[in-house]
Amino acid sequence: MPRDIIVTVNGEKYHTVVAENKTLLRFLREDLNLTGTKEGCGAGECGACTVLLDGRPVNSCLVLAVEVDGHSVETIEGLAKEGVLHPLQEAFIKHQGVQCGFCTPGMIMSAKALLDRNPTPTEEEIKEAIGGNLCRCTGYVPIVAAIKEVAGGGKA
Amino acid sequence: MFAQGPARILAGGTDILVGIRNGTVQPQVLIDIKDIPELKRLELDKDELVIGAAVTVNELICHPVVREKFPILVDAGEVLGSYQVRNRATVAGNLCNASPAADMAPALLVLGATVNVFGGGSRRELPLAKLFTGVKKTSLQPGEILTEIRVPLKSGRGKYLRQGRTRGHDLAILGLAGFYGDGVLRLAVGACAATPVCVELSAAGENRDGVLAAAREKLQAAIHPIDDVRASAEYRRALVNVYLERVLAAIL
């Protein structure tokens, strides 16, 4: 049964209709064409679908679109402002924390949420924060380095 | 939280959405309880910590009262799932899903937690141990909902340790909780039987080695581990002894 929802995504308010059993992940990708968020496992284990819901990282494959009615979602598409990359995006490129890129949107959203709540994390805290984001390519070292640089005030 | 039927409770959704996706659970209706204010209670009420059914694991482990007075719950919560999962998964949901490996169960058992259940117009309270009846089975009747968990504040020391297959996020092969206070030692084990298992023994006036030996015997007798995809029964029994020693070293 379709339902009306009002959800703010990357600062833009959407008033739309969505099937009750559609996940937030599929809603973002199919209804809003925001395909940056990826489906890796669909079961909340890989983190490729990580978005921020009211500022908190969640696996969007485990959230129904109807549950975000009245809430605010941030995806990877919301990070760059008018073509200017976010410091995390710059750092990931610089440190080669991106290879195939599939884990990257979710990884960066987890990292952004970490720095929002803890601007000066230890290496251990970084690893714990991205523990729910699997990467098959990089071995994580360059990812941690990228986050560390931004945390160290590489850029604001 | 509702027993098998066309309607199921939706709290965090981190278990039920997986079930819906793979077809093991096929509700016609989901009842979202997240906006019910009473179910978001997380506070000390006289001598009891009240954890409402909609409180997430991250909310629990970040709460200053929990961190100060119930650190074993932080031990348990911080290894559950991943940070993303913990932002949605509820403590009550972890219990009601009733996986034998539920990370919140052993810690809450050794603390002597009780749960409040509402259904059919009446309330009842039961010890947490009475909630679990089998693998993914609880004593909740159709139409009943677990509304809150109550944890008595006791003086003592607790610790929860668990072993997964990897250092990262995985289900527990074994979870072991211990609480020692007023000369009484309570131990609980997850992932070694159809339900989490809890035992109690007196430790007042005993020397450490004596307590360890008695605890080991009691625990091994209480568990029924099986071989599964994550570990063998033999390995689990061996791990119980190792983790028992580590937990006791932390709390005795």
Side-chain angles (χ1 to χ4, degrees), chain B residues 123-138:
Chain B
R123 291 177 196 285
R124 59 191 179 97
E125 187 181 304
L126 64 154
L128 178 59
K130 293 259 183 325
L131 180 68
F132 308 115
T133 58
V135 176
K136 301 271 189 122
K137 290 195 172 64
T138 69

Side-chain angles (χ1 to χ4, degrees), chain B residues 72-92:
Chain B
I72 190 181
L73 295 182
V74 179
D75 289 347
E78 66 188 8
V79 295
L80 189 153
S82 64
Y83 192 78
Q84 293 95 312
V85 168
R86 294 198 288 276
N87 275 333
R88 298 291 283 179
T90 60
V91 181

Side-chain angles (χ1 to χ4, degrees), chain A residues 39 50 57 67 117 131 133, chain B residues 21 34 83-84 87-88 169:
Chain A
E39 175 163 5
T50 305
E67 290 181 86
R117 69 178 178 270
N133 293 83
Chain B
R21 185 190 164 94
K34 289 191 285 297
Y83 192 78
Q84 293 95 312
N87 275 333
R88 298 291 283 179
H169 299 276

Side-chain angles (χ1 to χ4, degrees), chain A residues 82-145:
Chain A
E82 273 148 36
V84 177
L85 292 181
H86 188 278
L88 277 168
Q89 290 168 311
E90 293 279 10
F92 267 62
I93 295 168
K94 174 176 166 188
H95 290 269
Q96 296 172 60
V98 186
Q99 289 187 29
C100 82
F102 203 79
C103 78
T104 309
M107 191 71 78
I108 290 184
M109 296 319 286
S110 281
K112 177 182 189 286
L114 169 67
L115 297 180
D116 286 345
R117 69 178 178 270
N118 178 3
T120 54
T122 63
E123 179 164 317
E124 207 45 55
E125 285 168 332
I126 292 174
K127 288 180 181 174
E128 180 54 40
I130 62 170
N133 293 83
L134 301 183
C135 173
R136 298 292 282 128
C137 299
T138 66
Y140 302 101
V141 173
I143 289 174
V144 175

